[in-house]
Amino acid sequence: MAHVYIRRLAGFIGAVLLQVFILNHIHIAGYATPYLYIYFLLKLNAGVSRNVLMFWGFFLGLLIDMFSSTPGLNAASAVLLAFVRQPVLRLFSPKELDNVTPGFGSLGTGVFVKYVVVAVLLHHAVLLGLEAFSFFDWPGLLLKIVLSSLFSIICILAIECLRR
Amino acid sequence: MRNLLNFLIKYNSWILFLLLEVACFMLLFRFNNYQGSVFFTSANRFAGRVYEWAGGIHSYFYLRTANEELLDRNLFLERKVEWLTEALAGLQQDSAQVNVRDSALSDVRIIKARVVNNTLNRLDNYITLDKGSADGVKNDMGVVGIEGVAGIVYLVSPHYSLAISVLNRKSSINCKVQGTDYFGYLKWDGGDSRYAYVRDLPRYAEIAVGDTVVTNGYSSVFPAGIMVGRIADISDSDDGLSYLLRVELATDFGTLNDVRLVAPQSQEERMELERGVKE
């Protein structure tokens, strides 16, 4: 039991370091920045309760905010993602999901891809929308959301393929 | 009572969700005008230390470029000094003694600092510096990189401080075209990190692409004459009444590393005076 928590904590710290030191500095064409830290939330066991998941999301987001001087921004969007993860999983997967870690193997390729796409799009839309906070530059914001999401989704699926 | 408890138990995730989101939004919105929020930014002690450590490694890789830039800058300044002394010698024949160097620097306070974190890709970018109030840093000091203006100090903790980068929608720096008295405000509105805009230059101003833009002494933040950038493009503003300048920034924010914090000696007195007028 204990080693599950140690692995989770290691994943948590790894996600923060990767995001803060490497990914936050990537901005292809000034638009696309991958926010891969949510991979940690997406991969948590489906048996983890919604409340616990939200706390993970909150502290993950808060720590990333602390490093990028955007208090509350990532935390707000990560909590939202944690909140809707269960319904999104249920929406796509017909199977009972009690003690399953989401992945290609456990969910099936199609279901997992749909799950990742919806979750990432939602998270990025909220995050980047909150950051801009005004909709004066609609096309720019949409382009940013779409490109960043695309980048994140590709990275997440690639990592998933490698780990399989 | 029972119904209330049942309600709370049934919707406990919704309630927790709302609580956490409210907490996030409070952080988000109070950041702008709440000094204590410095704890939640990268200017707090923990994040500052981690960034300092990572920045040490990072800066090692840029030593070579930094050196070359310093050499270039040095050369440029040497040439300028030469040119100025010549000009001065010409003038001194029939005027009183002027000590250029002293009068230029006597009234400016300078603190050396190192950038420990810096972003370019957001709409509101901030620079984290490794000096804080313990080293004499105060709010509204100017941040100047090797090549030119970089930002303005915004929040100060004992050992670190957070500066608004030029690449921030809140940033507004008073500047002028060198050699003229036309001035305007330097603004950035997202997008390319190499360019910013100066608005409100009168249409009769005699300026050309390639002219140098420098700070003017009107703002109480920067001393006059610090390099901002070069004019890359001149166009009409939206209302057609003034020019809109696209300025190629002198500072390369991607490699910003060593900076100086500057403040005119009389800054506090002056700000107090200006505050008095506003109230």
Side-chain angles (χ1 to χ4, degrees):
Chain A
M1 199 59 207
H3 83 273
V4 173
Y5 282 102
I6 293 174
R7 277 191 63 176
R8 243 172 232 174
L9 207 63
F12 181 84
I13 295 170
V16 172
L17 293 181
L18 183 72
Q19 184 66 42
V20 167
F21 286 122
I22 300 173
L23 301 177
N24 270 353
H25 299 279
I26 297 176
H27 27 94
I28 293 174
Y31 283 108
T33 303
Y35 296 95
L36 282 192
Y37 67 93
I38 56 170
Y39 180 66
F40 172 78
L41 294 177
L42 295 179
K43 285 294 283 184
L44 278 184
N45 197 304
V48 175
S49 86
R50 213 176 182 183
N51 292 351
V52 174
L53 195 68
M54 277 194 275
F55 274 114
W56 277 112
F58 182 68
F59 287 112
L60 181 63
L62 204 62
L63 210 57
I64 287 172
D65 283 330
M66 203 162 100
F67 279 102
S68 39
S69 303
T70 52
L73 194 65
N74 284 292
S77 35
V79 168
L80 182 82
L81 175 66
F83 185 67
V84 301
R85 191 187 85 145
Q86 222 172 355
V88 170
L89 260 180
R90 285 228 192 91
L91 186 68
F92 294 123
S93 177
K95 283 184 285 183
E96 267 307 304
L97 299 159
D98 273 343
N99 222 348
V100 178
T101 302
F104 283 133
S106 56
L107 295 179
T109 310
V111 173
F112 184 69
V113 171
K114 276 189 250 173
Y115 160 64
V116 169
V117 168
V118 170
V120 168
L121 266 178
L122 194 74
H123 171 267
H124 285 32
V126 172
L127 178 71
L128 297 171
L130 271 182
E131 185 193 37
F133 203 70
S134 59
F135 296 105
F136 80 101
D137 185 17
W138 266 107
L141 182 64
L142 276 180
L143 192 66
K144 216 167 164 177
I145 292 173
V146 169
L147 288 180
S148 293
S149 301
L150 204 64
F151 198 0
S152 299
I153 291 166
I154 291 170
C155 290
I156 288 176
L157 295 179
I159 296 172
E160 199 55 32
C161 283
L162 288 175
R163 287 181 59 177
R164 186 147 64 152
Chain B
M1 193 63 204
R2 192 155 183 184
N3 282 342
L4 180 68
L5 276 180
N6 279 340
F7 174 82
L8 287 180
I9 292 167
K10 191 173 173 198
Y11 290 104
N12 67 62
S13 352
W14 282 89
I15 290 160
L16 180 67
F17 172 65
L18 287 178
L19 277 178
L20 289 177
E21 289 290 2
V22 167
C24 296
F25 277 92
M26 266 167 63
L27 285 176
L28 192 59
F29 292 123
R30 298 187 76 177
F31 175 50
N32 291 331
N33 45 21
Y34 180 47
Q35 256 301 317
S37 62
V38 68
F39 176 76
F40 289 102
T41 69
S42 53
N44 85 31
R45 205 172 179 127
F46 167 66
R49 190 56 62 78
V50 175
Y51 268 131
E52 199 172 352
W53 173 76
I57 298 174
H58 187 74
S59 66
Y60 192 76
F61 292 110
Y62 282 104
L63 277 182
R64 197 188 163 86
T65 353
N67 250 329
E68 276 164 16
E69 269 161 21
L70 278 175
L71 278 177
D72 282 350
R73 185 81 188 143
N74 203 7
L75 211 68
F76 168 74
L77 288 174
E78 267 175 10
R79 280 218 320 269
K80 196 162 178 178
V81 166
E82 210 169 313
W83 181 79
L84 282 174
T85 24
E86 260 173 44
L88 193 66
L91 289 171
Q92 255 171 10
Q93 286 167 354
D94 54 3
S95 70
Q97 278 272 344
V98 190
N99 195 334
V100 176
R101 195 189 147 76
D102 280 2
S103 67
L105 287 177
S106 64
D107 133 70
V108 181
R109 202 150 30 114
I110 299 181
I111 299 172
K112 276 201 237 178
R114 173 166 289 228
V115 173
V116 291
N117 185 45
N118 180 21
T119 59
L120 323 166
N121 55 333
R122 300 171 190 289
L123 285 171
D124 291 317
N125 295 291
Y126 294 92
I127 304 170
T128 317
L129 305 164
D130 71 343
K131 291 279 157 63
S133 52
D135 308 284
V137 179
K138 299 220 169 71
N139 271 0
D140 295 315
M141 286 182 98
V143 181
V144 181
I146 295 171
E147 297 125 321
V149 165
I152 296 172
V153 174
Y154 182 51
L155 289 175
V156 181
S157 74
H159 297 285
Y160 298 95
S161 52
L162 191 72
I164 294 187
S165 168
V166 170
L167 310 180
N168 187 314
R169 286 173 300 178
K170 277 184 236 161
S171 159
S172 167
I173 291 171
N174 208 328
C175 55
K176 65 170 184 179
V177 180
Q178 195 171 36
T180 71
D181 283 329
Y182 306 119
F183 68 94
Y185 287 93
L186 186 75
K187 289 275 192 187
W188 189 72
D189 56 0
D192 200 329
S193 65
R194 286 172 303 171
Y195 295 96
Y197 292 90
V198 175
R199 293 177 204 285
D200 300 334
L201 243 79
R203 288 187 63 96
Y204 51 82
E206 285 166 22
I207 47 180
V209 171
D211 279 0
T212 306
V213 178
V214 296
T215 57
N216 69 3
Y218 294 177
S219 94
S220 50
V221 177
F222 291 101
I226 294 181
M227 177 81 173
V228 172
R230 280 175 202 290
I231 300 175
D233 186 39
I234 301 174
S235 56
D236 290 336
S237 67
D238 297 336
D239 56 8
L241 296 175
S242 52
Y243 280 139
L244 172 66
L245 304 185
R246 189 154 175 259
V247 177
E248 186 181 359
L249 294 170
T251 304
D252 179 359
F253 285 86
T255 59
L256 193 65
N257 197 1
D258 288 303
V259 295
R260 303 283 179 274
L261 302 176
V262 296
Q265 207 72 266
S266 52
Q267 186 184 36
E268 275 155 41
E269 190 184 331
R270 181 165 162 177
M271 287 193 133
E272 206 131 289
L273 190 68
E274 285 174 0
R275 214 169 295 136
V277 171
K278 271 176 209 152
E279 277 163 7

